[in-house]
Amino acid sequence: MPELPYKAVLCDIDGVLRHWPPLDTLDQDHALPSGTFAGAAFAPERLIPAITGLVTDEEWRESVEAALAVACGSWSTARAVVAAWSVQLPTIDAEVAALLRQTRGTIPVALVSNATTRLELDLAKQGLEDVADVIVNTSRIGYAKPDSRVYVDAARRVGAALDQCLFIDDTVGNVAAARSLGMPALHFRTFADLRDALIGGTGCQGLSGSPAH
């Protein structure tokens, strides 16, 4: 691996390292109108407390079940949907995982995710504990991306200044927040984007939209 122009990598998880099944699959499997599950599970009033640690993952799922019962008029259907959702496993991008492990051999890598209290268990189930040196789970620190404190906390944990950390995320707003702090940041869309940033020699200057240094 070539020498990199940064001292650490901070990488998002969902949408980069792992990919969940489409949310509409749960609606289709339980004969619900499209968007019913997403509307219950990811409404801000339920999601934000879950990813900032105000409620546990279990409490979040209980609240989603209650919201679904109201939306579809059936507690049995709501329980079935939440049960099916709770056993889903995401697809792991093996190329991304391998590249992060390779990078970790050179500089520190942190996984930085807006996640619930179940994140660490889920990563362990799929053998991803060795992908990074540090897991920054927002439900453990009390604030979520794009809050600047997430980036500051992650950089502190890997022992690097903000402008020495490459931040990777598939969400434009999270990337913009990183860049506003002076961080080189990659808007992840394909594995080639990540490969070029870490192996292809593009460096900070080659990252689309990254600040000049």
Side-chain angles (χ1 to χ4, degrees), residues 10-207:
L10 312 180
C11 186
D12 182 33
I13 297 178
D14 292 325
V16 180
L17 175 61
R18 64 182 191 179
H19 304 273
W20 291 92
L23 295 176
D24 278 357
T25 300
L26 291 165
D27 295 325
Q28 294 165 7
D29 290 347
H30 296 85
L32 296 174
S34 178
T36 301
F37 172 74
F42 299 104
E45 65 269 21
R46 281 181 286 279
L47 179 62
I48 292 174
I51 63 173
T52 57
L54 294 176
V55 299
T56 66
D57 184 87
E58 292 82 1
E59 291 169 330
W60 176 45
R61 290 171 196 273
E62 289 173 0
S63 72
V64 171
E65 184 176 303
L68 277 172
V70 172
C72 67
S74 169
W75 274 99
S76 61
T77 298
R79 283 192 291 270
V81 172
V82 170
W85 169 45
S86 297
V87 297
Q88 282 185 339
L89 287 175
T91 299
I92 303 303
D93 189 319
E95 289 183 311
V96 171
L99 183 54
L100 291 176
R101 289 185 178 105
Q102 182 181 357
T103 302
R104 187 185 174 196
T106 305
I107 58 176
V109 173
L111 296 180
V112 185
S113 181
N114 286 356
T116 73
T117 55
R118 202 177 88 163
L119 175 65
E120 293 84 357
L121 178 60
D122 282 351
L123 294 177
K125 282 182 178 178
Q126 295 193 279
L128 295 174
E129 309 101 307
D130 65 336
V131 168
D133 300 277
V134 174
I135 307 295
V136 181
N137 177 352
T138 60
S139 67
R140 308 293 184 188
I141 60 177
Y143 30 85
K145 295 177 292 184
D147 190 309
S148 63
R149 291 173 292 180
V150 177
Y151 307 87
V152 171
D153 186 78
R156 177 187 60 78
R157 294 194 195 195
V158 294
L162 286 168
D163 64 0
Q164 295 178 323
C165 295
L166 170 63
F167 178 77
I168 302 157
D169 203 296
D170 66 313
T171 299
V172 173
N174 294 340
V175 172
R179 289 174 180 158
S180 73
L181 296 172
M183 303 176 72
L186 171 68
H187 178 210
F188 178 91
R189 282 157 288 192
T190 68
F191 173 71
D193 299 332
L194 185 60
R195 180 192 60 215
D196 289 347
L198 295 178
I199 294 180
T202 59
C204 296
Q205 298 294 338
L207 299 178

